Amino acid sequence: MNKIHILTLSFVLSVNILWAGNMEIGKNKYASRDYSGALPYLQSAAKDGYGEACYLLGNMYMFGLGTAKSYDIAMRMYKRGLEYGYGKGEAEIGLMYEQGNGVQKNLATAVSYYKKSIAKGVSNGYYFLGIIYSGWEGEDAKTKRDSTFICMKNIKPKNSDDPLTFPHWYGYVSYYLGLCYEYGYGTKADIAKAVGCYNSSFFNTKQSPSLLYRASELLRINGLEISGDTGTSYSILEWAICKDYDEPKALYQFYNGNKKENFYYLEKAAKAGYGPAQRTIAECYDKGINTSINKVKAAEYNRLADEWFAKNGEKYEEEQRIESDAAYRNLKGIYRVGDTFEQDSSIYKVTAVSYDGKYVNTINLTELEKKKRIEEERKKEQRRLDTDMAYRNSKGIYRKCDLWKDIKNNVYVVLSVDKYGKPEELMVPKAQTISFEQYEQGMQKNVLSPSQLELIYKNFDKINNMLVANGLPVLVEYRYITNYTTGTVVWQQTFTYNSIGDYIEKKTLRGKNIYVMLKYSMSELKAAGLTY
């Protein structure tokens, strides 16, 4: 290779390394949030055709990171990055259309860009589409809201190669998943899981005090106390207060949870202008409850409370009535666990409610009562079938040791049944004499086995009572041959009212008549024309 070619190649490699260096330096500074330091390097890398640099610059101009906001430049950078083959940018363009940043606001266009982003599996696309669907109103609202759950579940965590643009967005992921579990969007409503989302450091984000209070209220109005890390309604409320949640009503609730220890929060709620807290602290100062008597402060807080109730008394009374009067709150479309309501000719019982008192889980009491009656009738029918042979036989159902008649009214004892209660094998309830030659030539298959003999013995009284009721001779003591053979050995056994005797080996039965109890299968009886 000549010297000119070597110098040319060296120059090209040097330029490529420089380009790549600008990209890496700019990317690293961006990642460490040194946005102003990243700006010139990313601008150089963007000019050299790096699509990712264009995307990062789009974010900087879109959100004002290290430079003044410029929606026009942001849009240009996002589109250029896509042209250069980088996989992100559609979600951010969609957000600009959703918010009307530098373009005419257009939700349909925004959704179309989000879907393009989702087609590539990009977290930001799932995030923005999930949010826009969560509050969807009008046509197809339920389907859209259900999609929120799927979107939020598909967002990749912080430490992935495709995190959300800003870490604090993950707190909103936790919030929207909580909404899905609270209202049953795209999943079964589950208050415990909703509380878990509001209460947990989902994706390692910090808990929001307002969401902690929401979790506390969800537990309270649902009558739930959850073990483990989730805690109780009061413990979560305490956590929210410790994180500076200063809504006066919440402070007053916290005071009521431990009046002696939490007098400070009662005073804080009263000073914030909450009438019920002012009325309560006035009584405390007047009577010296958890504080020293101070008639002046008592009078002042009573005056302030009077003013508050003059303005807000009706609203407060309505809130109290909603809590205590089920019929009244139900008229307002507000429910608590245990309330009932009628719909489509059925009575429903509420088993879970959302933060705003909408029922999210119910039991159909009418259907439940109907199923209960059906189950009771089924059990009653089963008991009758189990105890009343005549009744079950009228239904074509048999149990072992029931009596069965063929078309000539011959009576048999049922030895086995199929899964539908139809007889399979039956015994003739009278011992018979056959020759040993008949036994050898095939009748051994029709002779009762030892296990079948055991079945008859255990039901001896029952079978005899039924035979007597049908005017038939009862089972009596006899010695008979079983069908159990080993080579030339045939076993004889004694069967009496009291017991089953030992097996007795017989080797010299040839030429003799023997006592047997015979059985037949349904197929044999059918072949003999004794059943259909």
PDB file of all heavy atoms in Angstrom, residues 195-228:
ATOM      1  N   VAL A 195     -54.065  -0.593  46.786  1.00  0.00           N
ATOM      2  CA  VAL A 195     -53.394  -0.012  47.950  1.00  0.00           C
ATOM      3  C   VAL A 195     -51.893  -0.261  47.860  1.00  0.00           C
ATOM      4  O   VAL A 195     -51.078   0.614  48.162  1.00  0.00           O
ATOM      5  CB  VAL A 195     -53.968  -0.605  49.253  1.00  0.00           C
ATOM      6  CG1 VAL A 195     -53.101  -0.247  50.455  1.00  0.00           C
ATOM      7  CG2 VAL A 195     -55.389  -0.103  49.470  1.00  0.00           C
ATOM      8  N   GLY A 196     -51.531  -1.461  47.423  1.00  0.00           N
ATOM      9  CA  GLY A 196     -50.116  -1.784  47.273  1.00  0.00           C
ATOM     10  C   GLY A 196     -49.410  -0.852  46.301  1.00  0.00           C
ATOM     11  O   GLY A 196     -48.277  -0.422  46.544  1.00  0.00           O
ATOM     12  N   CYS A 197     -50.076  -0.513  45.188  1.00  0.00           N
ATOM     13  CA  CYS A 197     -49.475   0.403  44.206  1.00  0.00           C
ATOM     14  C   CYS A 197     -49.352   1.813  44.771  1.00  0.00           C
ATOM     15  O   CYS A 197     -48.323   2.475  44.604  1.00  0.00           O
ATOM     16  CB  CYS A 197     -50.317   0.424  42.931  1.00  0.00           C
ATOM     17  SG  CYS A 197     -50.181  -1.058  41.918  1.00  0.00           S
ATOM     18  N   TYR A 198     -50.388   2.291  45.443  1.00  0.00           N
ATOM     19  CA  TYR A 198     -50.349   3.644  46.004  1.00  0.00           C
ATOM     20  C   TYR A 198     -49.356   3.738  47.164  1.00  0.00           C
ATOM     21  O   TYR A 198     -48.764   4.790  47.414  1.00  0.00           O
ATOM     22  CB  TYR A 198     -51.729   4.049  46.505  1.00  0.00           C
ATOM     23  CG  TYR A 198     -52.793   4.117  45.445  1.00  0.00           C
ATOM     24  CD1 TYR A 198     -54.122   3.815  45.748  1.00  0.00           C
ATOM     25  CD2 TYR A 198     -52.490   4.499  44.141  1.00  0.00           C
ATOM     26  CE1 TYR A 198     -55.111   3.881  44.778  1.00  0.00           C
ATOM     27  CE2 TYR A 198     -53.477   4.562  43.175  1.00  0.00           C
ATOM     28  CZ  TYR A 198     -54.790   4.252  43.496  1.00  0.00           C
ATOM     29  OH  TYR A 198     -55.771   4.317  42.542  1.00  0.00           O
ATOM     30  N   ASN A 199     -49.180   2.626  47.852  1.00  0.00           N
ATOM     31  CA  ASN A 199     -48.417   2.597  49.096  1.00  0.00           C
ATOM     32  C   ASN A 199     -46.962   2.191  48.899  1.00  0.00           C
ATOM     33  O   ASN A 199     -46.120   2.414  49.756  1.00  0.00           O
ATOM     34  CB  ASN A 199     -49.110   1.629  50.061  1.00  0.00           C
ATOM     35  CG  ASN A 199     -48.414   1.515  51.387  1.00  0.00           C
ATOM     36  OD1 ASN A 199     -47.879   2.487  51.891  1.00  0.00           O
ATOM     37  ND2 ASN A 199     -48.402   0.333  51.942  1.00  0.00           N
ATOM     38  N   SER A 200     -46.666   1.560  47.752  1.00  0.00           N
ATOM     39  CA  SER A 200     -45.327   0.994  47.563  1.00  0.00           C
ATOM     40  C   SER A 200     -44.404   1.950  46.820  1.00  0.00           C
ATOM     41  O   SER A 200     -44.839   2.899  46.183  1.00  0.00           O
ATOM     42  CB  SER A 200     -45.421  -0.306  46.752  1.00  0.00           C
ATOM     43  OG  SER A 200     -45.777  -0.007  45.416  1.00  0.00           O
ATOM     44  N   SER A 201     -43.110   1.663  46.920  1.00  0.00           N
ATOM     45  CA  SER A 201     -42.133   2.414  46.131  1.00  0.00           C
ATOM     46  C   SER A 201     -41.973   1.704  44.797  1.00  0.00           C
ATOM     47  O   SER A 201     -40.976   1.052  44.532  1.00  0.00           O
ATOM     48  CB  SER A 201     -40.803   2.492  46.868  1.00  0.00           C
ATOM     49  OG  SER A 201     -40.364   1.197  47.232  1.00  0.00           O
ATOM     50  N   PHE A 202     -43.000   1.818  43.983  1.00  0.00           N
ATOM     51  CA  PHE A 202     -43.030   1.100  42.712  1.00  0.00           C
ATOM     52  C   PHE A 202     -41.912   1.593  41.806  1.00  0.00           C
ATOM     53  O   PHE A 202     -41.720   2.778  41.629  1.00  0.00           O
ATOM     54  CB  PHE A 202     -44.389   1.315  42.052  1.00  0.00           C
ATOM     55  CG  PHE A 202     -44.678   0.379  40.924  1.00  0.00           C
ATOM     56  CD1 PHE A 202     -45.113  -0.903  41.169  1.00  0.00           C
ATOM     57  CD2 PHE A 202     -44.490   0.771  39.620  1.00  0.00           C
ATOM     58  CE1 PHE A 202     -45.390  -1.763  40.137  1.00  0.00           C
ATOM     59  CE2 PHE A 202     -44.756  -0.084  38.583  1.00  0.00           C
ATOM     60  CZ  PHE A 202     -45.211  -1.347  38.836  1.00  0.00           C
ATOM     61  N   PHE A 203     -41.133   0.684  41.240  1.00  0.00           N
ATOM     62  CA  PHE A 203     -39.981   1.028  40.404  1.00  0.00           C
ATOM     63  C   PHE A 203     -39.001   1.934  41.167  1.00  0.00           C
ATOM     64  O   PHE A 203     -38.334   2.792  40.589  1.00  0.00           O
ATOM     65  CB  PHE A 203     -40.407   1.736  39.114  1.00  0.00           C
ATOM     66  CG  PHE A 203     -40.960   0.811  38.072  1.00  0.00           C
ATOM     67  CD1 PHE A 203     -42.220   1.003  37.557  1.00  0.00           C
ATOM     68  CD2 PHE A 203     -40.214  -0.254  37.589  1.00  0.00           C
ATOM     69  CE1 PHE A 203     -42.736   0.164  36.576  1.00  0.00           C
ATOM     70  CE2 PHE A 203     -40.723  -1.091  36.622  1.00  0.00           C
ATOM     71  CZ  PHE A 203     -41.978  -0.890  36.114  1.00  0.00           C
ATOM     72  N   ASN A 204     -38.963   1.772  42.508  1.00  0.00           N
ATOM     73  CA  ASN A 204     -38.046   2.543  43.355  1.00  0.00           C
ATOM     74  C   ASN A 204     -38.314   4.047  43.332  1.00  0.00           C
ATOM     75  O   ASN A 204     -37.417   4.857  43.471  1.00  0.00           O
ATOM     76  CB  ASN A 204     -36.588   2.286  42.948  1.00  0.00           C
ATOM     77  CG  ASN A 204     -36.199   0.844  43.163  1.00  0.00           C
ATOM     78  OD1 ASN A 204     -36.550   0.261  44.174  1.00  0.00           O
ATOM     79  ND2 ASN A 204     -35.489   0.272  42.211  1.00  0.00           N
ATOM     80  N   THR A 205     -39.579   4.420  43.171  1.00  0.00           N
ATOM     81  CA  THR A 205     -39.920   5.835  43.233  1.00  0.00           C
ATOM     82  C   THR A 205     -40.401   6.175  44.643  1.00  0.00           C
ATOM     83  O   THR A 205     -40.823   5.307  45.391  1.00  0.00           O
ATOM     84  CB  THR A 205     -41.044   6.168  42.236  1.00  0.00           C
ATOM     85  OG1 THR A 205     -42.143   5.296  42.492  1.00  0.00           O
ATOM     86  CG2 THR A 205     -40.579   5.988  40.819  1.00  0.00           C
ATOM     87  N   LYS A 206     -40.337   7.462  44.997  1.00  0.00           N
ATOM     88  CA  LYS A 206     -40.777   7.882  46.316  1.00  0.00           C
ATOM     89  C   LYS A 206     -42.302   7.915  46.384  1.00  0.00           C
ATOM     90  O   LYS A 206     -42.967   8.265  45.422  1.00  0.00           O
ATOM     91  CB  LYS A 206     -40.212   9.268  46.645  1.00  0.00           C
ATOM     92  CG  LYS A 206     -38.694   9.285  46.796  1.00  0.00           C
ATOM     93  CD  LYS A 206     -38.206  10.686  47.147  1.00  0.00           C
ATOM     94  CE  LYS A 206     -36.689  10.695  47.323  1.00  0.00           C
ATOM     95  NZ  LYS A 206     -36.196  12.052  47.655  1.00  0.00           N
ATOM     96  N   GLN A 207     -42.831   7.545  47.549  1.00  0.00           N
ATOM     97  CA  GLN A 207     -44.277   7.547  47.716  1.00  0.00           C
ATOM     98  C   GLN A 207     -44.817   8.969  47.756  1.00  0.00           C
ATOM     99  O   GLN A 207     -44.222   9.861  48.360  1.00  0.00           O
ATOM    100  CB  GLN A 207     -44.672   6.825  49.014  1.00  0.00           C
ATOM    101  CG  GLN A 207     -44.377   5.341  49.006  1.00  0.00           C
ATOM    102  CD  GLN A 207     -42.978   5.035  49.484  1.00  0.00           C
ATOM    103  OE1 GLN A 207     -42.119   5.913  49.494  1.00  0.00           O
ATOM    104  NE2 GLN A 207     -42.732   3.799  49.865  1.00  0.00           N
ATOM    105  N   SER A 208     -45.978   9.177  47.127  1.00  0.00           N
ATOM    106  CA  SER A 208     -46.643  10.472  47.156  1.00  0.00           C
ATOM    107  C   SER A 208     -47.526  10.525  48.398  1.00  0.00           C
ATOM    108  O   SER A 208     -48.337   9.626  48.618  1.00  0.00           O
ATOM    109  CB  SER A 208     -47.502  10.641  45.901  1.00  0.00           C
ATOM    110  OG  SER A 208     -48.454  11.650  46.085  1.00  0.00           O
ATOM    111  N   PRO A 209     -47.419  11.583  49.227  1.00  0.00           N
ATOM    112  CA  PRO A 209     -48.279  11.681  50.420  1.00  0.00           C
ATOM    113  C   PRO A 209     -49.763  11.611  50.090  1.00  0.00           C
ATOM    114  O   PRO A 209     -50.536  11.001  50.822  1.00  0.00           O
ATOM    115  CB  PRO A 209     -47.893  13.047  51.007  1.00  0.00           C
ATOM    116  CG  PRO A 209     -46.491  13.273  50.544  1.00  0.00           C
ATOM    117  CD  PRO A 209     -46.436  12.675  49.170  1.00  0.00           C
ATOM    118  N   SER A 210     -50.171  12.225  48.972  1.00  0.00           N
ATOM    119  CA  SER A 210     -51.590  12.200  48.608  1.00  0.00           C
ATOM    120  C   SER A 210     -52.040  10.792  48.243  1.00  0.00           C
ATOM    121  O   SER A 210     -53.173  10.393  48.546  1.00  0.00           O
ATOM    122  CB  SER A 210     -51.861  13.157  47.439  1.00  0.00           C
ATOM    123  OG  SER A 210     -51.123  12.767  46.292  1.00  0.00           O
ATOM    124  N   LEU A 211     -51.157  10.007  47.616  1.00  0.00           N
ATOM    125  CA  LEU A 211     -51.508   8.628  47.292  1.00  0.00           C
ATOM    126  C   LEU A 211     -51.510   7.756  48.540  1.00  0.00           C
ATOM    127  O   LEU A 211     -52.298   6.815  48.642  1.00  0.00           O
ATOM    128  CB  LEU A 211     -50.542   8.049  46.253  1.00  0.00           C
ATOM    129  CG  LEU A 211     -50.683   8.578  44.827  1.00  0.00           C
ATOM    130  CD1 LEU A 211     -49.818   7.777  43.872  1.00  0.00           C
ATOM    131  CD2 LEU A 211     -52.130   8.565  44.365  1.00  0.00           C
ATOM    132  N   LEU A 212     -50.638   8.062  49.480  1.00  0.00           N
ATOM    133  CA  LEU A 212     -50.669   7.334  50.751  1.00  0.00           C
ATOM    134  C   LEU A 212     -51.999   7.571  51.457  1.00  0.00           C
ATOM    135  O   LEU A 212     -52.596   6.637  52.017  1.00  0.00           O
ATOM    136  CB  LEU A 212     -49.505   7.786  51.640  1.00  0.00           C
ATOM    137  CG  LEU A 212     -48.106   7.330  51.218  1.00  0.00           C
ATOM    138  CD1 LEU A 212     -47.049   7.994  52.085  1.00  0.00           C
ATOM    139  CD2 LEU A 212     -47.976   5.809  51.293  1.00  0.00           C
ATOM    140  N   TYR A 213     -52.480   8.810  51.421  1.00  0.00           N
ATOM    141  CA  TYR A 213     -53.777   9.098  52.041  1.00  0.00           C
ATOM    142  C   TYR A 213     -54.885   8.355  51.304  1.00  0.00           C
ATOM    143  O   TYR A 213     -55.812   7.821  51.932  1.00  0.00           O
ATOM    144  CB  TYR A 213     -54.055  10.603  52.034  1.00  0.00           C
ATOM    145  CG  TYR A 213     -55.391  10.956  52.652  1.00  0.00           C
ATOM    146  CD1 TYR A 213     -55.601  10.786  54.021  1.00  0.00           C
ATOM    147  CD2 TYR A 213     -56.436  11.440  51.872  1.00  0.00           C
ATOM    148  CE1 TYR A 213     -56.829  11.089  54.591  1.00  0.00           C
ATOM    149  CE2 TYR A 213     -57.660  11.748  52.439  1.00  0.00           C
ATOM    150  CZ  TYR A 213     -57.855  11.571  53.797  1.00  0.00           C
ATOM    151  OH  TYR A 213     -59.075  11.859  54.358  1.00  0.00           O
ATOM    152  N   ARG A 214     -54.800   8.318  49.982  1.00  0.00           N
ATOM    153  CA  ARG A 214     -55.808   7.578  49.202  1.00  0.00           C
ATOM    154  C   ARG A 214     -55.791   6.106  49.591  1.00  0.00           C
ATOM    155  O   ARG A 214     -56.847   5.492  49.755  1.00  0.00           O
ATOM    156  CB  ARG A 214     -55.528   7.736  47.703  1.00  0.00           C
ATOM    157  CG  ARG A 214     -56.606   7.145  46.804  1.00  0.00           C
ATOM    158  CD  ARG A 214     -56.196   7.225  45.336  1.00  0.00           C
ATOM    159  NE  ARG A 214     -57.271   6.819  44.451  1.00  0.00           N
ATOM    160  CZ  ARG A 214     -57.994   7.649  43.704  1.00  0.00           C
ATOM    161  NH1 ARG A 214     -57.780   8.946  43.757  1.00  0.00           N
ATOM    162  NH2 ARG A 214     -58.955   7.190  42.918  1.00  0.00           N
ATOM    163  N   ALA A 215     -54.593   5.538  49.745  1.00  0.00           N
ATOM    164  CA  ALA A 215     -54.481   4.138  50.163  1.00  0.00           C
ATOM    165  C   ALA A 215     -55.104   3.937  51.536  1.00  0.00           C
ATOM    166  O   ALA A 215     -55.821   2.951  51.777  1.00  0.00           O
ATOM    167  CB  ALA A 215     -53.008   3.717  50.178  1.00  0.00           C
ATOM    168  N   SER A 216     -54.844   4.877  52.447  1.00  0.00           N
ATOM    169  CA  SER A 216     -55.418   4.799  53.793  1.00  0.00           C
ATOM    170  C   SER A 216     -56.937   4.814  53.742  1.00  0.00           C
ATOM    171  O   SER A 216     -57.607   4.006  54.406  1.00  0.00           O
ATOM    172  CB  SER A 216     -54.905   5.967  54.630  1.00  0.00           C
ATOM    173  OG  SER A 216     -55.591   6.052  55.856  1.00  0.00           O
ATOM    174  N   GLU A 217     -57.508   5.709  52.948  1.00  0.00           N
ATOM    175  CA  GLU A 217     -58.960   5.808  52.833  1.00  0.00           C
ATOM    176  C   GLU A 217     -59.566   4.572  52.177  1.00  0.00           C
ATOM    177  O   GLU A 217     -60.655   4.125  52.561  1.00  0.00           O
ATOM    178  CB  GLU A 217     -59.339   7.063  52.040  1.00  0.00           C
ATOM    179  CG  GLU A 217     -59.232   8.344  52.836  1.00  0.00           C
ATOM    180  CD  GLU A 217     -60.279   8.399  53.937  1.00  0.00           C
ATOM    181  OE1 GLU A 217     -61.427   8.793  53.655  1.00  0.00           O
ATOM    182  OE2 GLU A 217     -59.947   8.025  55.085  1.00  0.00           O
ATOM    183  N   LEU A 218     -58.872   4.016  51.190  1.00  0.00           N
ATOM    184  CA  LEU A 218     -59.377   2.797  50.548  1.00  0.00           C
ATOM    185  C   LEU A 218     -59.489   1.660  51.558  1.00  0.00           C
ATOM    186  O   LEU A 218     -60.459   0.895  51.550  1.00  0.00           O
ATOM    187  CB  LEU A 218     -58.464   2.384  49.389  1.00  0.00           C
ATOM    188  CG  LEU A 218     -58.730   3.024  48.038  1.00  0.00           C
ATOM    189  CD1 LEU A 218     -57.712   2.536  47.017  1.00  0.00           C
ATOM    190  CD2 LEU A 218     -60.140   2.716  47.542  1.00  0.00           C
ATOM    191  N   LEU A 219     -58.479   1.536  52.414  1.00  0.00           N
ATOM    192  CA  LEU A 219     -58.542   0.512  53.452  1.00  0.00           C
ATOM    193  C   LEU A 219     -59.687   0.795  54.418  1.00  0.00           C
ATOM    194  O   LEU A 219     -60.423  -0.117  54.821  1.00  0.00           O
ATOM    195  CB  LEU A 219     -57.219   0.442  54.211  1.00  0.00           C
ATOM    196  CG  LEU A 219     -56.018  -0.127  53.471  1.00  0.00           C
ATOM    197  CD1 LEU A 219     -54.794  -0.142  54.378  1.00  0.00           C
ATOM    198  CD2 LEU A 219     -56.286  -1.531  52.954  1.00  0.00           C
ATOM    199  N   ARG A 220     -59.845   2.050  54.790  1.00  0.00           N
ATOM    200  CA  ARG A 220     -60.871   2.397  55.779  1.00  0.00           C
ATOM    201  C   ARG A 220     -62.271   2.132  55.262  1.00  0.00           C
ATOM    202  O   ARG A 220     -63.069   1.445  55.917  1.00  0.00           O
ATOM    203  CB  ARG A 220     -60.741   3.880  56.172  1.00  0.00           C
ATOM    204  CG  ARG A 220     -61.740   4.308  57.250  1.00  0.00           C
ATOM    205  CD  ARG A 220     -61.615   5.783  57.562  1.00  0.00           C
ATOM    206  NE  ARG A 220     -62.066   6.624  56.468  1.00  0.00           N
ATOM    207  CZ  ARG A 220     -63.357   6.925  56.222  1.00  0.00           C
ATOM    208  NH1 ARG A 220     -64.308   6.426  56.998  1.00  0.00           N
ATOM    209  NH2 ARG A 220     -63.672   7.705  55.217  1.00  0.00           N
ATOM    210  N   ILE A 221     -62.599   2.639  54.070  1.00  0.00           N
ATOM    211  CA  ILE A 221     -63.974   2.513  53.587  1.00  0.00           C
ATOM    212  C   ILE A 221     -64.283   1.105  53.104  1.00  0.00           C
ATOM    213  O   ILE A 221     -65.450   0.739  52.960  1.00  0.00           O
ATOM    214  CB  ILE A 221     -64.279   3.537  52.471  1.00  0.00           C
ATOM    215  CG1 ILE A 221     -63.421   3.286  51.231  1.00  0.00           C
ATOM    216  CG2 ILE A 221     -64.108   4.951  52.987  1.00  0.00           C
ATOM    217  CD1 ILE A 221     -63.726   4.256  50.081  1.00  0.00           C
ATOM    218  N   ASN A 222     -63.242   0.301  52.863  1.00  0.00           N
ATOM    219  CA  ASN A 222     -63.469  -1.100  52.487  1.00  0.00           C
ATOM    220  C   ASN A 222     -63.398  -2.040  53.693  1.00  0.00           C
ATOM    221  O   ASN A 222     -63.566  -3.248  53.543  1.00  0.00           O
ATOM    222  CB  ASN A 222     -62.466  -1.548  51.424  1.00  0.00           C
ATOM    223  CG  ASN A 222     -62.847  -1.087  50.037  1.00  0.00           C
ATOM    224  OD1 ASN A 222     -63.684  -1.701  49.374  1.00  0.00           O
ATOM    225  ND2 ASN A 222     -62.254   0.018  49.596  1.00  0.00           N
ATOM    226  N   GLY A 223     -63.101  -1.476  54.846  1.00  0.00           N
ATOM    227  CA  GLY A 223     -63.034  -2.308  56.045  1.00  0.00           C
ATOM    228  C   GLY A 223     -61.915  -3.311  56.003  1.00  0.00           C
ATOM    229  O   GLY A 223     -62.052  -4.429  56.495  1.00  0.00           O
ATOM    230  N   LEU A 224     -60.784  -2.920  55.389  1.00  0.00           N
ATOM    231  CA  LEU A 224     -59.668  -3.848  55.223  1.00  0.00           C
ATOM    232  C   LEU A 224     -58.501  -3.448  56.122  1.00  0.00           C
ATOM    233  O   LEU A 224     -58.239  -2.270  56.341  1.00  0.00           O
ATOM    234  CB  LEU A 224     -59.177  -3.854  53.773  1.00  0.00           C
ATOM    235  CG  LEU A 224     -60.130  -4.369  52.708  1.00  0.00           C
ATOM    236  CD1 LEU A 224     -59.512  -4.179  51.331  1.00  0.00           C
ATOM    237  CD2 LEU A 224     -60.446  -5.836  52.933  1.00  0.00           C
ATOM    238  N   GLU A 225     -57.818  -4.431  56.614  1.00  0.00           N
ATOM    239  CA  GLU A 225     -56.528  -4.234  57.260  1.00  0.00           C
ATOM    240  C   GLU A 225     -55.616  -5.293  56.657  1.00  0.00           C
ATOM    241  O   GLU A 225     -55.918  -6.486  56.714  1.00  0.00           O
ATOM    242  CB  GLU A 225     -56.617  -4.407  58.777  1.00  0.00           C
ATOM    243  CG  GLU A 225     -57.548  -3.407  59.452  1.00  0.00           C
ATOM    244  CD  GLU A 225     -57.121  -1.955  59.298  1.00  0.00           C
ATOM    245  OE1 GLU A 225     -55.982  -1.713  58.874  1.00  0.00           O
ATOM    246  OE2 GLU A 225     -57.941  -1.063  59.611  1.00  0.00           O
ATOM    247  N   ILE A 226     -54.527  -4.878  56.049  1.00  0.00           N
ATOM    248  CA  ILE A 226     -53.687  -5.801  55.287  1.00  0.00           C
ATOM    249  C   ILE A 226     -52.382  -6.023  56.023  1.00  0.00           C
ATOM    250  O   ILE A 226     -51.732  -5.083  56.466  1.00  0.00           O
ATOM    251  CB  ILE A 226     -53.426  -5.242  53.871  1.00  0.00           C
ATOM    252  CG1 ILE A 226     -54.769  -5.040  53.159  1.00  0.00           C
ATOM    253  CG2 ILE A 226     -52.543  -6.176  53.072  1.00  0.00           C
ATOM    254  CD1 ILE A 226     -54.656  -4.388  51.816  1.00  0.00           C
ATOM    255  N   SER A 227     -52.015  -7.285  56.148  1.00  0.00           N
ATOM    256  CA  SER A 227     -50.781  -7.626  56.846  1.00  0.00           C
ATOM    257  C   SER A 227     -49.568  -7.372  55.960  1.00  0.00           C
ATOM    258  O   SER A 227     -49.681  -7.066  54.778  1.00  0.00           O
ATOM    259  CB  SER A 227     -50.814  -9.096  57.262  1.00  0.00           C
ATOM    260  OG  SER A 227     -50.928  -9.921  56.118  1.00  0.00           O
ATOM    261  N   GLY A 228     -48.391  -7.531  56.536  1.00  0.00           N
ATOM    262  CA  GLY A 228     -47.152  -7.356  55.773  1.00  0.00           C
ATOM    263  C   GLY A 228     -46.760  -5.894  55.675  1.00  0.00           C
ATOM    264  O   GLY A 228     -47.040  -5.083  56.553  1.00  0.00           O
TER     265      GLY A 228
END
